[in-house]
Amino acid sequence: MLKLLTALQTRQADDYTIVNEPILSSELMERAAKAFIKVFLDRFPDRKKHILIFCGKGNNGGDGLVISRMLFDEGYHHVHTYIADFSEKQSEDYLLNLERLQQKDVSIFYINQAADLEFIESDLIIDALLGSGLNKALQGEWEKLVKKINKFSGFKISVDVPTGLPCEGELLSEAIIKSDLTIAFQRPKLNFLLPISSPYIKEWKVVNIGLDENFIQSTSSPYFWFWKADIQKYIKPRQAFEHKGLLGHALMVAGADETIGAALLCTEACHRSGAGLTTALIPEMGLRALNARVPEAMYFSRNNLDKIDWLKYEVIGIGPGLGVSEESSKLLNEVLANFKKPIVIDADAINLLAQNHQLMKLIPQKSVLTPHMKEFDRLFGTHDSWWERIETALKKSVELKVYIVLKNRYTMIFTPEGICYFNSSGSPAMASGGMGDVLTGMITSMIAQGYAVEKAVQLAVFSHGYAGEQLAHKMYVVPASNLIKQIPYILRELMVK
Ligand SMILES: NC(=O)C1=CN([C@@H]2O[C@H](COP(=O)(O)OP(=O)(O)OC[C@H]3O[C@@H](n4cnc5c(N)ncnc54)[C@H](OP(=O)(O)O)[C@@H]3O)[C@@H](O)[C@H]2O)[C@@H](O)CC1
Ligand SMILES: Nc1ncnc2c1ncn2[C@@H]1O[C@H](COP(=O)(O)OP(=O)(O)O)[C@@H](O)[C@H]1O
Ligand SMILES: [K+]
């Protein structure tokens, strides 16, 4: 689990590392540039490439100058270094590295105004103009320069963060370098994980520059990043004497006449994720399809709802394809009135809550809401930006004592303790109908099997994305049904260390 930092906290981690390692700030810059170069050499080993490096006069520019020197030493001799000379201010390490670069046989050009910069053909462009020190929108010559560079044809690589993109918080303007690859130091910036960065970052990579991890762990941040190793720590193998009765009974309340498919998807996903027993409370017209598609699942008729023994179930998943009819509304009311263990609330169940906020009071503690962006806004009101949505989600998950799974490229899990976990797995090949229904089935299944809700949600969200990612190596698009088939194999792979 990696703690994610703001720009200010990263600067504090830089400062702490410099004093406590101890290491000179110029040596830390050297280390950062070296980490950048390692990735660069791997990706662009051809020494004949024509490269432009654009540097500012702060520490991001300092990095650029070290990178220029290191490229020269590595045998790249078609490198032109440009310095944006728009202000008197310059950092000490920038100056030191300018002197060091001047010892080499490299060409350095100063840009006094963006208009002086002619269009230059190049293969690669390295953007080291501004980094995490950005403190206002780019204006004047800065804005003109960035817009001009964006029109250049070379493959653009940003150092630490694309120039003009704030590390966190709202965009300040649209004058931002559109990078093809961003190589960030120590941690991804929070904005990399949100759709707002998408026009500016095609791909990002993080390199370790040896900042003090103990210090980072001690900083206070609600944001975390989780990945395979975190899940592998607690995924449980089946035990010798376990039987279906010990592995939880899940009830899926889903489907309407026109949307039985969603009910089948979540039920099958629940079963294939390992719940001991799965019962589907679906419209009667879906029974044949259920028996054909998931013969292992049981059926409970909606006509017999008055006879249901709610205590039989460890968890209920409700919502996929449920519709927002009067009948669906009654079902949700019944579930909320009678079931006191965690409920996984998705899709139309969320839409029904949005129509009747009074019901929110009935949601059992530690339940899980799994909205996509639109469902989230229906439930909690319109938001103008992702950062506003994050603020609401942090607040509402604490207030309602529930987990909110806000689905996205990097799905966010908000906890009743006020933490936001970003999931690392997933692929755009998963962007197709039914994928969320599968996730609901998986979360429900993990809770049924006895994982603590937080772990169940993390395990399901990660393995869902991981399965999609693996299939995306072989498939242009990953249909939800294919992902379901993959679940037991993926869980096994994660279980075997
Ligand atoms: N030891 C370390 O700390 C390490 C740091 N490292 C590297 O340092 C980078 C951070 O460097 P940095 O703090 O010097 O800031 P940087 O982004 O170069 O900006 C420079 C100055 O630009 C100015 N400015 C800001 N916004 C502006 C705007 N819109 N338009 C015009 N000007 C604007 C602002 O000056 P001000 O406005 O305050 O006068 C700011 O101070 C980081 O991303 C990483 O690459 C690594 O080497 C690892 C070790
Ligand atoms: N670009 C993407 N990258 C990674 N995961 C994605 C992407 N697009 C969608 N997903 C995942 O697919 C699922 C879609 O859920 P949802 O929007 O509820 O779909 P549906 O309503 O069709 O079932 C979510 O888990 C989401 O994280
Ligand atoms: K940059």
Side-chain angles (χ1 to χ4, degrees):
M1 204 72 76
L2 284 182
K3 194 172 270 190
L4 299 174
L5 306 177
T6 61
L8 175 65
Q9 288 171 325
T10 308
R11 190 149 60 246
Q12 288 165 347
D14 285 342
D15 293 345
Y16 182 91
T17 307
I18 288 166
V19 174
N20 287 276
E21 190 172 322
I23 180 173
L24 292 174
S25 67
S26 60
E27 283 168 5
L28 186 57
M29 186 173 277
E30 204 77 10
R31 204 150 81 186
K34 207 168 178 179
F36 177 99
I37 286 287
K38 192 163 177 292
V39 175
F40 185 95
L41 293 180
D42 245 27
R43 290 282 283 266
F44 310 101
D46 181 359
R47 292 342 193 225
K48 292 196 188 66
K49 291 271 184 230
H50 285 257
I51 305 172
L52 308 179
I53 306 187
F54 290 96
C55 303
K57 292 164 77 175
N59 287 336
N60 196 248
D63 291 338
L65 297 175
V66 183
I67 288 165
S68 182
R69 167 163 47 85
M70 288 180 175
L71 285 178
F72 180 84
D73 291 344
E74 285 289 341
Y76 293 81
H77 292 161
H78 306 284
V79 181
H80 295 270
T81 304
Y82 289 81
I83 294 173
D85 198 9
F86 300 148
S87 90
E88 292 300 307
K89 199 173 158 189
Q90 50 198 9
S91 79
E92 273 179 33
D93 291 329
Y94 156 84
L95 209 54
L96 173 76
N97 284 300
L98 180 61
E99 283 161 13
R100 285 182 182 169
L101 186 63
Q102 282 164 338
Q103 313 295 315
K104 307 273 175 184
D105 185 19
V106 297
S107 26
I108 303 174
F109 306 93
Y110 289 84
I111 307 169
N112 296 111
Q113 43 183 354
D116 295 346
L117 181 70
E118 305 275 325
F119 173 78
I120 317 154
E121 282 282 353
S122 68
D123 302 306
L124 302 169
I125 295 170
I126 297 177
D127 152 37
L129 286 166
L130 297 172
S132 58
L134 184 86
N135 53 24
K136 53 187 171 286
L138 297 188
Q139 286 170 334
E141 292 305 320
W142 280 106
E143 181 177 3
K144 286 184 202 154
L145 181 62
V146 160
K147 289 189 169 166
K148 196 161 203 175
I149 294 173
N150 276 340
K151 290 198 183 120
F152 283 22
S153 56
F155 184 96
K156 298 177 191 69
I157 309 157
S158 287
V159 178
D160 201 23
V161 55
T163 292
L165 181 73
C167 295
E168 64 279 336
E170 312 290 352
L171 299 190
L172 305 168
S173 80
E174 285 177 6
I176 299 171
I177 288 286
K178 292 186 174 158
S179 75
D180 295 292
L181 170 66
T182 293
I183 300 176
F185 298 140
Q186 204 72 23
R187 289 289 192 275
K189 317 297 176 204
L190 284 158
N191 271 345
F192 293 8
L193 310 179
L194 301 178
I196 47 174
S197 67
S198 128
Y200 313 109
I201 299 185
K202 283 213 183 99
E203 183 193 348
W204 55 264
K205 222 177 156 27
V206 175
V207 290
N208 190 336
I209 63 164
L211 298 187
D212 192 296
E213 280 295 334
N214 288 331
F215 176 83
I216 293 176
Q217 286 315 319
S218 73
T219 56
S220 136
S221 161
Y223 304 110
F224 289 83
W225 169 256
F226 70 97
W227 55 8
K228 194 172 173 182
D230 298 309
I231 302 307
Q232 287 182 311
K233 279 185 202 136
Y234 62 77
I235 184 165
K236 290 183 289 205
R238 297 272 155 132
Q239 302 300 316
F241 291 98
E242 261 172 355
H243 55 80
K244 61 179 189 274
L246 293 176
L247 291 160
H249 193 163
L251 180 70
M252 301 305 308
V253 183
D257 288 358
E258 304 80 23
T259 45
I260 282 297
L264 298 179
L265 289 171
C266 64
T267 303
E268 192 181 13
C270 180
H271 164 61
R272 287 185 73 85
S273 302
L277 294 165
T278 303
T279 293
L281 186 76
I282 59 172
E284 193 164 355
M285 63 78 76
L287 180 55
R288 276 173 150 230
L290 180 73
N291 282 335
R293 172 89 188 219
V294 204
E296 299 91 342
M298 289 173 287
Y299 165 73
F300 195 94
S301 169
R302 288 185 182 176
N303 299 329
N304 294 336
L305 206 56
D306 51 337
K307 300 195 189 74
I308 197 167
D309 176 7
W310 298 102
L311 294 175
K312 254 170 66 175
Y313 306 103
E314 267 67 46
V315 54
I316 292 178
I318 183 166
L322 190 65
V324 289
S325 65
E326 187 102 341
E327 193 200 355
S328 311
S329 171
K330 272 193 198 141
L331 267 171
L332 178 63
N333 274 279
E334 278 292 306
V335 166
L336 290 174
N338 292 293
F339 199 73
K340 299 301 164 204
K341 290 181 239 175
I343 305 175
V344 182
I345 303 172
D346 184 33
D348 283 328
I350 296 176
N351 296 331
L352 285 166
L353 284 177
Q355 288 174 12
N356 185 358
H357 273 242
Q358 290 302 318
L359 292 178
M360 306 273 274
K361 289 193 291 244
L362 298 176
I363 300 175
Q365 288 188 12
K366 297 200 173 181
S367 286
V368 185
L369 297 166
T370 60
H372 55 55
M373 184 188 97
K374 283 194 177 151
E375 288 157 354
F376 184 88
D377 279 12
R378 265 179 227 135
L379 188 59
F380 295 121
T382 312
H383 293 80
D384 289 331
S385 76
W386 278 93
W387 280 99
E388 283 186 10
R389 232 165 253 131
I390 288 176
E391 200 183 321
T392 301
L394 280 169
K395 205 171 83 199
K396 289 292 175 185
S397 53
V398 174
E399 203 176 291
L400 297 165
K401 300 191 175 63
V402 297
Y403 293 87
I404 298 175
V405 178
L406 183 49
K407 291 179 284 194
N408 208 302
R409 167 64 187 92
Y410 303 103
T411 289
M412 292 164 247
I413 302 169
F414 297 89
T415 76
E417 288 75 35
I419 288 171
C420 168
Y421 295 107
F422 284 89
N423 177 41
S424 54
S425 66
S427 156
M430 296 167 72
S432 80
M435 207 42 102
D437 308 330
V438 175
L439 179 64
T440 300
M442 293 179 76
I443 298 175
T444 309
S445 187
M446 296 309 173
I447 298 175
Q449 289 168 68
Y451 287 99
V453 177
E454 184 161 314
K455 288 197 162 62
V457 175
Q458 284 177 1
L459 172 54
V461 169
F462 180 83
S463 45
H464 178 251
Y466 190 64
E469 209 175 286
Q470 301 289 314
L471 286 171
H473 293 309
K474 296 175 279 190
M475 304 177 87
Y476 174 69
V477 59
V478 178
S481 294
N482 290 68
L483 194 142
I484 291 177
K485 298 287 175 245
Q486 208 60 19
I487 298 170
Y489 303 101
I490 284 294
L491 292 175
R492 156 93 196 166
E493 186 196 320
L494 292 172
M495 187 193 82
V496 180
K497 302 284 182 298

